[in-house]
Amino acid sequence: MKTNEIFNSRRFGKYFMSDLKNCASNYWLSMLLISLMGLIIYIGTVVLGLTFTGEWGGPDKTFRTFTFGVSMFVLMTTMPVKCYGKITEKRYGTSWLMIPASTFEKVLSMVIMTVFVVPVICGGIYLAADSIICALDK
């Protein structure tokens, strides 16, 4: 087997971009909600604090770090199912096998999307929202 049959950078780039678009269309709303989990919990904490104690108080740094860890865990467990869960279905799986890219390129694309691209984007959105919260509420 020739090496260009196993991995071709041009073919991989095209497949990766189509995989990225497919994953973005299937997962963008869930990723946005998971990324904004810190903001949602902050708003909930402040509203509950104002309702029951009458004081303005947001979560501390430890709770925000814990929330970040939980959101990354939720992201890492839900993303593969939303983006690649249909592969086990007969019709979709057969058409996925027929895509003109090698199995190695498909698996590499999955790993890059699941381990690097989506967590970096989600983490960036989460940290940007957390930075805005920290700038507005000391």
Side-chain angles (χ1 to χ4, degrees), residues 10-28 31 79-87 92 95-97 99-118 121:
R10 185 170 179 216
R11 183 177 60 205
F12 174 73
K14 287 181 182 179
Y15 177 74
F16 182 75
M17 290 309 293
S18 70
D19 193 25
L20 181 66
K21 289 176 187 175
N22 184 32
C23 189
S25 67
N26 290 338
Y27 196 62
W28 75 272
M31 186 178 78
M79 183 266 177
V81 174
K82 284 273 211 166
C83 290
Y84 303 109
K86 296 179 183 178
I87 291 174
Y92 187 82
S95 64
W96 184 78
L97 287 174
I99 294 174
S102 69
T103 306
F104 176 71
E105 291 169 342
K106 293 174 188 176
V107 170
L108 184 63
S109 176
M110 279 186 199
V111 169
I112 291 172
M113 289 290 295
T114 305
V115 176
F116 296 111
V117 174
V118 173
I121 292 171

Side-chain angles (χ1 to χ4, degrees), residues 20-94:
L20 181 66
K21 289 176 187 175
N22 184 32
C23 189
S25 67
N26 290 338
Y27 196 62
W28 75 272
L29 184 60
S30 298
M31 186 178 78
L32 185 64
L33 289 174
I34 292 169
S35 298
L36 296 176
M37 188 183 292
L39 178 65
I40 294 167
I41 289 176
Y42 173 80
I43 291 170
T45 305
V46 168
V47 167
L48 288 175
L50 288 173
T51 303
F52 293 116
T53 63
E55 296 177 2
W56 184 281
D60 61 346
K61 187 184 289 188
T62 306
F63 188 75
R64 289 191 344 251
T65 304
F66 176 74
T67 304
F68 179 75
V70 168
S71 66
M72 286 297 122
F73 176 76
V74 169
L75 177 87
M76 294 297 284
T77 56
T78 60
M79 183 266 177
V81 174
K82 284 273 211 166
C83 290
Y84 303 109
K86 296 179 183 178
I87 291 174
T88 57
E89 295 175 8
K90 186 174 184 179
R91 175 178 282 169
Y92 187 82
T94 305

